[in-house]
Amino acid sequence: MGAGVVLAGLALTAVAVFVTIAAVAIVFKILLRLVLLPLLLLKWIVMGAVMLIVGPILFVVGLAAFLAVGIALFVPLVPFLVVGGLVWLLVRSSRPAAVA
């Protein structure tokens, strides 16, 4: 019985220490962010300017890569599309006309 009480006391102490350290860390984090806020705003401005320059380049490169991959995947399927088109034409032409 005594060991359980001691264990509960130790657990309560550990939780209290953890909560205290977490609260101090949160306050420290908030203060650090307030001090570094001008640098964060400067980073956002610089990254926005860089993306205005690099964004269109990335778009063109991505579009070229998309087209290259699309063509590379489409070319092997062309014979199947041709055969499918021929089969479709044969089936369509051999079907009797619908009576209205």
Side-chain angles (χ1 to χ4, degrees), residues 52-66:
L52 281 175
I53 296 168
V54 177
I57 296 170
L58 288 176
F59 175 74
V60 169
V61 169
L63 189 62
F66 174 76

Side-chain angles (χ1 to χ4, degrees), residues 33-48:
R33 290 206 176 213
L34 282 175
V35 168
L36 296 177
L37 183 62
L39 292 176
L40 183 64
L41 294 174
L42 182 65
K43 181 184 94 167
W44 285 346
I45 292 170
V46 170
M47 287 303 294

Side-chain angles (χ1 to χ4, degrees), residues 17 19 24-25 28-30 37 42 48 51 55 63 67 70 82 99-100:
V17 168
V19 168
V24 169
F28 181 72
K29 179 180 175 182
I30 291 172
L37 183 62
L42 182 65
M51 285 310 292
L63 189 62
L67 289 175
V82 169
V99 177

